[in-house]
Amino acid sequence: MQGKAFVLFISLLLISTTVSGTGFTCDEVSRCGLQGDNSYPNIVLGTVAAIANADETRTIYRWARSQGYWQSLPEDEKQFAEKIQILSIEIPEERKLTHISVLMGREEFERG
């Protein structure tokens, strides 16, 4: 699925940010590629730049929870990783590429 352009419309939970790289780095600047704790209301059209592995998913989950994000989600990190897949989507924006990180249900991801 990597490298293929496709539309992602996720009603479960969709978080985005503009970052350099794939957005999976958790520090004060890139913030794991997370812009906030709200659902992203737009359709995303782009190319999958990266798919978070298990370690990246756990790191992002821990960082987000420590920042107060996702408080309505279960506290079980393992359950989160089983139900959610994190992707970095590359989209063209004014003569450059921008990466946004999105979360989607694992069932929808595996069907794609």
Side-chain angles (χ1 to χ4, degrees), residues 62-92:
R62 289 177 195 144
W63 186 90
R65 295 288 293 195
S66 74
Q67 299 302 307
Y69 294 179
W70 306 343
Q71 295 305 306
S72 62
L73 296 181
E75 292 183 30
D76 185 347
E77 179 181 314
K78 182 179 177 186
Q79 183 181 12
F80 176 83
E82 289 172 356
K83 303 268 186 206
I84 302 295
Q85 178 62 59
I86 302 173
L87 304 150
S88 178
I89 307 297
E90 182 178 81
I91 57 174

PDB file of all heavy atoms in Angstrom, residues 62-92:
ATOM      1  N   ARG A  62       2.027   6.854  24.118  1.00  0.00           N
ATOM      2  CA  ARG A  62       2.528   7.303  25.427  1.00  0.00           C
ATOM      3  C   ARG A  62       2.702   8.811  25.459  1.00  0.00           C
ATOM      4  O   ARG A  62       2.355   9.471  26.437  1.00  0.00           O
ATOM      5  CB  ARG A  62       3.848   6.616  25.760  1.00  0.00           C
ATOM      6  CG  ARG A  62       3.697   5.160  26.073  1.00  0.00           C
ATOM      7  CD  ARG A  62       5.045   4.511  26.333  1.00  0.00           C
ATOM      8  NE  ARG A  62       4.908   3.072  26.271  1.00  0.00           N
ATOM      9  CZ  ARG A  62       5.819   2.250  25.795  1.00  0.00           C
ATOM     10  NH1 ARG A  62       6.964   2.717  25.328  1.00  0.00           N
ATOM     11  NH2 ARG A  62       5.606   0.958  25.771  1.00  0.00           N
ATOM     12  N   TRP A  63       3.292   9.358  24.393  1.00  0.00           N
ATOM     13  CA  TRP A  63       3.527  10.804  24.345  1.00  0.00           C
ATOM     14  C   TRP A  63       2.203  11.553  24.358  1.00  0.00           C
ATOM     15  O   TRP A  63       2.030  12.508  25.113  1.00  0.00           O
ATOM     16  CB  TRP A  63       4.337  11.195  23.108  1.00  0.00           C
ATOM     17  CG  TRP A  63       4.711  12.644  23.138  1.00  0.00           C
ATOM     18  CD1 TRP A  63       5.834  13.190  23.676  1.00  0.00           C
ATOM     19  CD2 TRP A  63       3.931  13.737  22.637  1.00  0.00           C
ATOM     20  NE1 TRP A  63       5.802  14.554  23.538  1.00  0.00           N
ATOM     21  CE2 TRP A  63       4.638  14.912  22.905  1.00  0.00           C
ATOM     22  CE3 TRP A  63       2.708  13.818  21.988  1.00  0.00           C
ATOM     23  CZ2 TRP A  63       4.167  16.172  22.545  1.00  0.00           C
ATOM     24  CZ3 TRP A  63       2.223  15.076  21.637  1.00  0.00           C
ATOM     25  CH2 TRP A  63       2.953  16.223  21.916  1.00  0.00           C
ATOM     26  N   ALA A  64       1.266  11.124  23.525  1.00  0.00           N
ATOM     27  CA  ALA A  64      -0.023  11.811  23.446  1.00  0.00           C
ATOM     28  C   ALA A  64      -0.748  11.777  24.793  1.00  0.00           C
ATOM     29  O   ALA A  64      -1.274  12.799  25.242  1.00  0.00           O
ATOM     30  CB  ALA A  64      -0.885  11.186  22.352  1.00  0.00           C
ATOM     31  N   ARG A  65      -0.770  10.633  25.430  1.00  0.00           N
ATOM     32  CA  ARG A  65      -1.424  10.532  26.747  1.00  0.00           C
ATOM     33  C   ARG A  65      -0.738  11.425  27.775  1.00  0.00           C
ATOM     34  O   ARG A  65      -1.408  12.054  28.584  1.00  0.00           O
ATOM     35  CB  ARG A  65      -1.437   9.078  27.222  1.00  0.00           C
ATOM     36  CG  ARG A  65      -2.261   8.128  26.368  1.00  0.00           C
ATOM     37  CD  ARG A  65      -3.727   8.321  26.521  1.00  0.00           C
ATOM     38  NE  ARG A  65      -4.140   7.953  27.871  1.00  0.00           N
ATOM     39  CZ  ARG A  65      -5.372   7.742  28.235  1.00  0.00           C
ATOM     40  NH1 ARG A  65      -6.341   7.846  27.353  1.00  0.00           N
ATOM     41  NH2 ARG A  65      -5.670   7.427  29.464  1.00  0.00           N
ATOM     42  N   SER A  66       0.596  11.485  27.728  1.00  0.00           N
ATOM     43  CA  SER A  66       1.317  12.325  28.692  1.00  0.00           C
ATOM     44  C   SER A  66       1.044  13.813  28.459  1.00  0.00           C
ATOM     45  O   SER A  66       1.192  14.618  29.378  1.00  0.00           O
ATOM     46  CB  SER A  66       2.823  12.051  28.634  1.00  0.00           C
ATOM     47  OG  SER A  66       3.398  12.625  27.468  1.00  0.00           O
ATOM     48  N   GLN A  67       0.624  14.177  27.250  1.00  0.00           N
ATOM     49  CA  GLN A  67       0.302  15.569  26.925  1.00  0.00           C
ATOM     50  C   GLN A  67      -1.180  15.884  27.148  1.00  0.00           C
ATOM     51  O   GLN A  67      -1.635  16.985  26.867  1.00  0.00           O
ATOM     52  CB  GLN A  67       0.664  15.868  25.470  1.00  0.00           C
ATOM     53  CG  GLN A  67       2.132  15.694  25.144  1.00  0.00           C
ATOM     54  CD  GLN A  67       3.011  16.587  26.010  1.00  0.00           C
ATOM     55  OE1 GLN A  67       2.806  17.796  26.090  1.00  0.00           O
ATOM     56  NE2 GLN A  67       3.989  16.001  26.673  1.00  0.00           N
ATOM     57  N   GLY A  68      -1.940  14.905  27.620  1.00  0.00           N
ATOM     58  CA  GLY A  68      -3.351  15.108  27.887  1.00  0.00           C
ATOM     59  C   GLY A  68      -4.257  14.796  26.711  1.00  0.00           C
ATOM     60  O   GLY A  68      -5.466  14.997  26.782  1.00  0.00           O
ATOM     61  N   TYR A  69      -3.697  14.304  25.610  1.00  0.00           N
ATOM     62  CA  TYR A  69      -4.497  13.933  24.447  1.00  0.00           C
ATOM     63  C   TYR A  69      -5.168  12.584  24.697  1.00  0.00           C
ATOM     64  O   TYR A  69      -4.721  11.772  25.468  1.00  0.00           O
ATOM     65  CB  TYR A  69      -3.620  13.774  23.210  1.00  0.00           C
ATOM     66  CG  TYR A  69      -2.947  15.027  22.687  1.00  0.00           C
ATOM     67  CD1 TYR A  69      -2.125  14.954  21.580  1.00  0.00           C
ATOM     68  CD2 TYR A  69      -3.114  16.278  23.279  1.00  0.00           C
ATOM     69  CE1 TYR A  69      -1.485  16.079  21.067  1.00  0.00           C
ATOM     70  CE2 TYR A  69      -2.485  17.406  22.777  1.00  0.00           C
ATOM     71  CZ  TYR A  69      -1.676  17.303  21.674  1.00  0.00           C
ATOM     72  OH  TYR A  69      -1.060  18.410  21.176  1.00  0.00           O
ATOM     73  N   TRP A  70      -6.240  12.349  23.963  1.00  0.00           N
ATOM     74  CA  TRP A  70      -6.889  11.049  23.880  1.00  0.00           C
ATOM     75  C   TRP A  70      -7.390  10.527  25.229  1.00  0.00           C
ATOM     76  O   TRP A  70      -7.437   9.335  25.466  1.00  0.00           O
ATOM     77  CB  TRP A  70      -5.979  10.010  23.239  1.00  0.00           C
ATOM     78  CG  TRP A  70      -5.434  10.399  21.900  1.00  0.00           C
ATOM     79  CD1 TRP A  70      -5.905  11.385  21.073  1.00  0.00           C
ATOM     80  CD2 TRP A  70      -4.336   9.818  21.223  1.00  0.00           C
ATOM     81  NE1 TRP A  70      -5.144  11.449  19.935  1.00  0.00           N
ATOM     82  CE2 TRP A  70      -4.173  10.494  19.999  1.00  0.00           C
ATOM     83  CE3 TRP A  70      -3.460   8.787  21.526  1.00  0.00           C
ATOM     84  CZ2 TRP A  70      -3.186  10.168  19.093  1.00  0.00           C
ATOM     85  CZ3 TRP A  70      -2.484   8.461  20.631  1.00  0.00           C
ATOM     86  CH2 TRP A  70      -2.349   9.142  19.424  1.00  0.00           C
ATOM     87  N   GLN A  71      -7.801  11.422  26.099  1.00  0.00           N
ATOM     88  CA  GLN A  71      -8.270  10.994  27.413  1.00  0.00           C
ATOM     89  C   GLN A  71      -9.552  10.174  27.326  1.00  0.00           C
ATOM     90  O   GLN A  71      -9.849   9.394  28.228  1.00  0.00           O
ATOM     91  CB  GLN A  71      -8.463  12.203  28.325  1.00  0.00           C
ATOM     92  CG  GLN A  71      -7.171  12.938  28.636  1.00  0.00           C
ATOM     93  CD  GLN A  71      -6.093  12.027  29.215  1.00  0.00           C
ATOM     94  OE1 GLN A  71      -6.316  11.332  30.195  1.00  0.00           O
ATOM     95  NE2 GLN A  71      -4.916  12.033  28.595  1.00  0.00           N
ATOM     96  N   SER A  72     -10.307  10.315  26.233  1.00  0.00           N
ATOM     97  CA  SER A  72     -11.531   9.532  26.085  1.00  0.00           C
ATOM     98  C   SER A  72     -11.261   8.129  25.541  1.00  0.00           C
ATOM     99  O   SER A  72     -12.156   7.291  25.522  1.00  0.00           O
ATOM    100  CB  SER A  72     -12.518  10.257  25.158  1.00  0.00           C
ATOM    101  OG  SER A  72     -11.952  10.403  23.870  1.00  0.00           O
ATOM    102  N   LEU A  73     -10.036   7.881  25.110  1.00  0.00           N
ATOM    103  CA  LEU A  73      -9.672   6.549  24.618  1.00  0.00           C
ATOM    104  C   LEU A  73      -9.305   5.640  25.785  1.00  0.00           C
ATOM    105  O   LEU A  73      -8.908   6.109  26.847  1.00  0.00           O
ATOM    106  CB  LEU A  73      -8.485   6.631  23.660  1.00  0.00           C
ATOM    107  CG  LEU A  73      -8.701   7.395  22.357  1.00  0.00           C
ATOM    108  CD1 LEU A  73      -7.428   7.366  21.517  1.00  0.00           C
ATOM    109  CD2 LEU A  73      -9.860   6.822  21.580  1.00  0.00           C
ATOM    110  N   PRO A  74      -9.413   4.340  25.584  1.00  0.00           N
ATOM    111  CA  PRO A  74      -9.015   3.407  26.652  1.00  0.00           C
ATOM    112  C   PRO A  74      -7.551   3.617  27.051  1.00  0.00           C
ATOM    113  O   PRO A  74      -6.716   3.982  26.224  1.00  0.00           O
ATOM    114  CB  PRO A  74      -9.194   2.033  26.002  1.00  0.00           C
ATOM    115  CG  PRO A  74     -10.150   2.247  24.893  1.00  0.00           C
ATOM    116  CD  PRO A  74      -9.910   3.645  24.402  1.00  0.00           C
ATOM    117  N   GLU A  75      -7.264   3.384  28.320  1.00  0.00           N
ATOM    118  CA  GLU A  75      -5.902   3.547  28.820  1.00  0.00           C
ATOM    119  C   GLU A  75      -4.995   2.383  28.435  1.00  0.00           C
ATOM    120  O   GLU A  75      -3.796   2.441  28.670  1.00  0.00           O
ATOM    121  CB  GLU A  75      -5.926   3.698  30.344  1.00  0.00           C
ATOM    122  CG  GLU A  75      -6.571   4.985  30.795  1.00  0.00           C
ATOM    123  CD  GLU A  75      -6.520   5.141  32.293  1.00  0.00           C
ATOM    124  OE1 GLU A  75      -5.571   4.635  32.932  1.00  0.00           O
ATOM    125  OE2 GLU A  75      -7.438   5.764  32.831  1.00  0.00           O
ATOM    126  N   ASP A  76      -5.549   1.369  27.846  1.00  0.00           N
ATOM    127  CA  ASP A  76      -4.799   0.176  27.493  1.00  0.00           C
ATOM    128  C   ASP A  76      -4.021   0.395  26.197  1.00  0.00           C
ATOM    129  O   ASP A  76      -4.584   0.401  25.097  1.00  0.00           O
ATOM    130  CB  ASP A  76      -5.770  -0.993  27.345  1.00  0.00           C
ATOM    131  CG  ASP A  76      -5.067  -2.325  27.102  1.00  0.00           C
ATOM    132  OD1 ASP A  76      -3.855  -2.337  26.804  1.00  0.00           O
ATOM    133  OD2 ASP A  76      -5.752  -3.356  27.208  1.00  0.00           O
ATOM    134  N   GLU A  77      -2.721   0.563  26.329  1.00  0.00           N
ATOM    135  CA  GLU A  77      -1.835   0.800  25.181  1.00  0.00           C
ATOM    136  C   GLU A  77      -1.881  -0.342  24.171  1.00  0.00           C
ATOM    137  O   GLU A  77      -1.891  -0.122  22.960  1.00  0.00           O
ATOM    138  CB  GLU A  77      -0.411   0.976  25.714  1.00  0.00           C
ATOM    139  CG  GLU A  77       0.636   1.208  24.697  1.00  0.00           C
ATOM    140  CD  GLU A  77       1.996   1.337  25.348  1.00  0.00           C
ATOM    141  OE1 GLU A  77       2.131   2.059  26.357  1.00  0.00           O
ATOM    142  OE2 GLU A  77       2.938   0.707  24.849  1.00  0.00           O
ATOM    143  N   LYS A  78      -1.952  -1.548  24.659  1.00  0.00           N
ATOM    144  CA  LYS A  78      -2.005  -2.718  23.781  1.00  0.00           C
ATOM    145  C   LYS A  78      -3.283  -2.707  22.948  1.00  0.00           C
ATOM    146  O   LYS A  78      -3.270  -2.967  21.741  1.00  0.00           O
ATOM    147  CB  LYS A  78      -1.901  -4.002  24.598  1.00  0.00           C
ATOM    148  CG  LYS A  78      -1.895  -5.254  23.762  1.00  0.00           C
ATOM    149  CD  LYS A  78      -1.764  -6.502  24.616  1.00  0.00           C
ATOM    150  CE  LYS A  78      -1.832  -7.740  23.729  1.00  0.00           C
ATOM    151  NZ  LYS A  78      -1.863  -8.966  24.488  1.00  0.00           N
ATOM    152  N   GLN A  79      -4.392  -2.390  23.586  1.00  0.00           N
ATOM    153  CA  GLN A  79      -5.671  -2.322  22.884  1.00  0.00           C
ATOM    154  C   GLN A  79      -5.640  -1.223  21.816  1.00  0.00           C
ATOM    155  O   GLN A  79      -6.143  -1.410  20.708  1.00  0.00           O
ATOM    156  CB  GLN A  79      -6.808  -2.074  23.860  1.00  0.00           C
ATOM    157  CG  GLN A  79      -8.171  -2.071  23.205  1.00  0.00           C
ATOM    158  CD  GLN A  79      -9.286  -1.804  24.201  1.00  0.00           C
ATOM    159  OE1 GLN A  79      -9.061  -1.414  25.341  1.00  0.00           O
ATOM    160  NE2 GLN A  79     -10.508  -2.008  23.769  1.00  0.00           N
ATOM    161  N   PHE A  80      -5.036  -0.078  22.137  1.00  0.00           N
ATOM    162  CA  PHE A  80      -4.905   1.006  21.167  1.00  0.00           C
ATOM    163  C   PHE A  80      -4.157   0.518  19.933  1.00  0.00           C
ATOM    164  O   PHE A  80      -4.594   0.724  18.800  1.00  0.00           O
ATOM    165  CB  PHE A  80      -4.163   2.191  21.797  1.00  0.00           C
ATOM    166  CG  PHE A  80      -3.896   3.318  20.843  1.00  0.00           C
ATOM    167  CD1 PHE A  80      -4.867   4.268  20.579  1.00  0.00           C
ATOM    168  CD2 PHE A  80      -2.677   3.415  20.197  1.00  0.00           C
ATOM    169  CE1 PHE A  80      -4.617   5.311  19.689  1.00  0.00           C
ATOM    170  CE2 PHE A  80      -2.418   4.449  19.308  1.00  0.00           C
ATOM    171  CZ  PHE A  80      -3.399   5.402  19.054  1.00  0.00           C
ATOM    172  N   ALA A  81      -3.015  -0.133  20.141  1.00  0.00           N
ATOM    173  CA  ALA A  81      -2.195  -0.614  19.027  1.00  0.00           C
ATOM    174  C   ALA A  81      -2.917  -1.679  18.203  1.00  0.00           C
ATOM    175  O   ALA A  81      -2.689  -1.794  17.000  1.00  0.00           O
ATOM    176  CB  ALA A  81      -0.869  -1.151  19.551  1.00  0.00           C
ATOM    177  N   GLU A  82      -3.781  -2.440  18.841  1.00  0.00           N
ATOM    178  CA  GLU A  82      -4.536  -3.462  18.116  1.00  0.00           C
ATOM    179  C   GLU A  82      -5.660  -2.853  17.273  1.00  0.00           C
ATOM    180  O   GLU A  82      -6.019  -3.393  16.238  1.00  0.00           O
ATOM    181  CB  GLU A  82      -5.138  -4.468  19.100  1.00  0.00           C
ATOM    182  CG  GLU A  82      -4.109  -5.359  19.741  1.00  0.00           C
ATOM    183  CD  GLU A  82      -4.686  -6.220  20.856  1.00  0.00           C
ATOM    184  OE1 GLU A  82      -5.893  -6.074  21.202  1.00  0.00           O
ATOM    185  OE2 GLU A  82      -3.937  -7.040  21.407  1.00  0.00           O
ATOM    186  N   LYS A  83      -6.202  -1.722  17.703  1.00  0.00           N
ATOM    187  CA  LYS A  83      -7.373  -1.132  17.046  1.00  0.00           C
ATOM    188  C   LYS A  83      -7.040   0.001  16.079  1.00  0.00           C
ATOM    189  O   LYS A  83      -7.838   0.315  15.199  1.00  0.00           O
ATOM    190  CB  LYS A  83      -8.340  -0.589  18.102  1.00  0.00           C
ATOM    191  CG  LYS A  83      -8.800  -1.605  19.103  1.00  0.00           C
ATOM    192  CD  LYS A  83     -10.060  -2.239  18.666  1.00  0.00           C
ATOM    193  CE  LYS A  83     -10.574  -3.164  19.767  1.00  0.00           C
ATOM    194  NZ  LYS A  83     -11.379  -4.209  19.260  1.00  0.00           N
ATOM    195  N   ILE A  84      -5.882   0.654  16.244  1.00  0.00           N
ATOM    196  CA  ILE A  84      -5.543   1.860  15.490  1.00  0.00           C
ATOM    197  C   ILE A  84      -4.247   1.681  14.709  1.00  0.00           C
ATOM    198  O   ILE A  84      -3.280   1.118  15.218  1.00  0.00           O
ATOM    199  CB  ILE A  84      -5.386   3.071  16.438  1.00  0.00           C
ATOM    200  CG1 ILE A  84      -6.668   3.317  17.236  1.00  0.00           C
ATOM    201  CG2 ILE A  84      -4.955   4.322  15.683  1.00  0.00           C
ATOM    202  CD1 ILE A  84      -7.878   3.719  16.428  1.00  0.00           C
ATOM    203  N   GLN A  85      -4.219   2.189  13.478  1.00  0.00           N
ATOM    204  CA  GLN A  85      -3.005   2.232  12.664  1.00  0.00           C
ATOM    205  C   GLN A  85      -2.679   3.699  12.397  1.00  0.00           C
ATOM    206  O   GLN A  85      -3.556   4.470  12.037  1.00  0.00           O
ATOM    207  CB  GLN A  85      -3.206   1.507  11.331  1.00  0.00           C
ATOM    208  CG  GLN A  85      -1.996   1.553  10.433  1.00  0.00           C
ATOM    209  CD  GLN A  85      -0.793   0.861  11.054  1.00  0.00           C
ATOM    210  OE1 GLN A  85      -0.831  -0.315  11.374  1.00  0.00           O
ATOM    211  NE2 GLN A  85       0.274   1.606  11.236  1.00  0.00           N
ATOM    212  N   ILE A  86      -1.419   4.068  12.587  1.00  0.00           N
ATOM    213  CA  ILE A  86      -0.975   5.440  12.355  1.00  0.00           C
ATOM    214  C   ILE A  86      -0.214   5.480  11.031  1.00  0.00           C
ATOM    215  O   ILE A  86       0.655   4.643  10.785  1.00  0.00           O
ATOM    216  CB  ILE A  86      -0.094   5.945  13.511  1.00  0.00           C
ATOM    217  CG1 ILE A  86      -0.870   5.862  14.831  1.00  0.00           C
ATOM    218  CG2 ILE A  86       0.394   7.368  13.231  1.00  0.00           C
ATOM    219  CD1 ILE A  86      -0.059   6.185  16.065  1.00  0.00           C
ATOM    220  N   LEU A  87      -0.554   6.468  10.192  1.00  0.00           N
ATOM    221  CA  LEU A  87       0.079   6.641   8.888  1.00  0.00           C
ATOM    222  C   LEU A  87       0.578   8.070   8.744  1.00  0.00           C
ATOM    223  O   LEU A  87       0.006   8.990   9.315  1.00  0.00           O
ATOM    224  CB  LEU A  87      -0.935   6.403   7.767  1.00  0.00           C
ATOM    225  CG  LEU A  87      -1.654   5.080   7.774  1.00  0.00           C
ATOM    226  CD1 LEU A  87      -3.028   5.231   7.179  1.00  0.00           C
ATOM    227  CD2 LEU A  87      -0.854   4.074   6.988  1.00  0.00           C
ATOM    228  N   SER A  88       1.616   8.242   7.954  1.00  0.00           N
ATOM    229  CA  SER A  88       2.053   9.574   7.546  1.00  0.00           C
ATOM    230  C   SER A  88       1.688   9.713   6.076  1.00  0.00           C
ATOM    231  O   SER A  88       2.084   8.894   5.250  1.00  0.00           O
ATOM    232  CB  SER A  88       3.565   9.727   7.740  1.00  0.00           C
ATOM    233  OG  SER A  88       3.972  11.003   7.288  1.00  0.00           O
ATOM    234  N   ILE A  89       0.906  10.740   5.771  1.00  0.00           N
ATOM    235  CA  ILE A  89       0.450  10.981   4.410  1.00  0.00           C
ATOM    236  C   ILE A  89       1.186  12.202   3.863  1.00  0.00           C
ATOM    237  O   ILE A  89       1.242  13.245   4.513  1.00  0.00           O
ATOM    238  CB  ILE A  89      -1.079  11.231   4.362  1.00  0.00           C
ATOM    239  CG1 ILE A  89      -1.844  10.111   5.053  1.00  0.00           C
ATOM    240  CG2 ILE A  89      -1.548  11.444   2.925  1.00  0.00           C
ATOM    241  CD1 ILE A  89      -1.704   8.760   4.430  1.00  0.00           C
ATOM    242  N   GLU A  90       1.718  12.054   2.662  1.00  0.00           N
ATOM    243  CA  GLU A  90       2.451  13.124   1.992  1.00  0.00           C
ATOM    244  C   GLU A  90       1.504  13.803   1.003  1.00  0.00           C
ATOM    245  O   GLU A  90       0.918  13.139   0.149  1.00  0.00           O
ATOM    246  CB  GLU A  90       3.635  12.498   1.260  1.00  0.00           C
ATOM    247  CG  GLU A  90       4.539  13.441   0.559  1.00  0.00           C
ATOM    248  CD  GLU A  90       5.686  12.673  -0.069  1.00  0.00           C
ATOM    249  OE1 GLU A  90       5.472  12.102  -1.161  1.00  0.00           O
ATOM    250  OE2 GLU A  90       6.766  12.629   0.542  1.00  0.00           O
ATOM    251  N   ILE A  91       1.352  15.122   1.148  1.00  0.00           N
ATOM    252  CA  ILE A  91       0.475  15.857   0.241  1.00  0.00           C
ATOM    253  C   ILE A  91       1.231  17.045  -0.354  1.00  0.00           C
ATOM    254  O   ILE A  91       2.060  17.663   0.315  1.00  0.00           O
ATOM    255  CB  ILE A  91      -0.806  16.336   0.956  1.00  0.00           C
ATOM    256  CG1 ILE A  91      -0.476  17.195   2.177  1.00  0.00           C
ATOM    257  CG2 ILE A  91      -1.680  15.179   1.341  1.00  0.00           C
ATOM    258  CD1 ILE A  91      -1.685  17.822   2.831  1.00  0.00           C
ATOM    259  N   PRO A  92       0.985  17.355  -1.618  1.00  0.00           N
ATOM    260  CA  PRO A  92       1.627  18.516  -2.226  1.00  0.00           C
ATOM    261  C   PRO A  92       0.988  19.802  -1.709  1.00  0.00           C
ATOM    262  O   PRO A  92      -0.230  19.882  -1.574  1.00  0.00           O
ATOM    263  CB  PRO A  92       1.365  18.329  -3.721  1.00  0.00           C
ATOM    264  CG  PRO A  92       0.200  17.425  -3.807  1.00  0.00           C
ATOM    265  CD  PRO A  92       0.163  16.612  -2.548  1.00  0.00           C
TER     266      PRO A  92
END
